[in-house]
Amino acid sequence: MLGPSKDFFSPAPITDAEYDFICQLVYEHSRIKLGPNKRELVMARLSKRLRSLGQKTYGDYCKFLKTPKGEEELGDLIDAISTNHTFFFRESAHFDFLKNTILPEFAPREAPSPKLHIWSAACSSGEEPYSIALLLAD
């Protein structure tokens, strides 16, 4: 019978204080707000950073982030937390909501419709606004 790989790494769950510290640090440096529903995502993504740095626990990682060398880690922390991929219609539920709930309010009627302004924040290569434009054109 095979046991776990010696390369397998799973730190103990992040504590409330550690999670709050990470959330605050991420928010201060990126304005990404991590709610309580992102705890598992944070643990999964940061476990790779812990392994890379030789840290055994999230507490060790938090202590490291408070050091001068930890300041150099902030970019890697933000990269680990943020979603670094994009593609057309990536969050289909959002586009369904736009199509089925928001846009019907702006459908042509007898009176002129109000103007609709749409903002797509932090889109690295443009797939999100192009997806919105395609939806509007359709």
Side-chain angles (χ1 to χ4, degrees):
M1 185 164 127
L2 293 174
S5 162
K6 68 179 182 175
D7 294 329
F8 180 76
F9 175 75
S10 180
I14 194 168
T15 67
D16 290 343
E18 294 160 356
Y19 184 70
D20 291 345
F21 172 75
I22 295 292
C23 289
Q24 183 63 36
L25 195 60
V26 167
Y27 184 76
E28 286 173 6
H29 292 275
S30 69
R31 292 302 187 233
I32 296 172
K33 187 163 179 69
L34 299 166
N37 61 329
K38 299 294 183 183
R39 192 181 196 107
E40 293 295 323
L41 175 131
V42 168
M43 287 179 13
R45 292 188 178 181
L46 289 187
S47 69
K48 296 171 189 164
R49 293 301 312 143
L50 271 66
R51 185 173 44 252
S52 167
L53 295 166
Q55 304 287 330
K56 301 247 185 254
T57 68
Y58 295 103
D60 292 341
Y61 185 65
C62 290
K63 288 176 193 167
F64 172 70
L65 289 169
K66 294 175 185 177
T67 69
K69 279 202 162 223
E71 289 182 27
E72 297 171 18
E73 170 67 10
L74 289 174
D76 290 321
L77 166 64
I78 302 303
D79 280 348
I81 293 300
S82 60
T83 300
N84 294 311
H85 69 279
T86 187
F87 51 88
F88 289 95
F89 299 96
R90 180 170 59 97
E91 297 287 343
S92 63
H94 297 172
F95 292 101
D96 291 342
F97 182 79
L98 179 62
K99 179 180 179 180
N100 299 323
T101 306
I102 302 298
L103 292 181
E105 292 294 318
F106 291 87
R109 346 175 218 255
E110 295 192 21
S113 296
K115 285 185 179 180
L116 174 65
H117 297 274
I118 297 178
W119 177 50
S120 181
C123 42
S124 62
S125 54
E127 281 87 341
E128 293 87 353
Y130 276 109
S131 296
I132 294 169
L134 289 167
L135 180 70
L136 292 171
D138 188 36

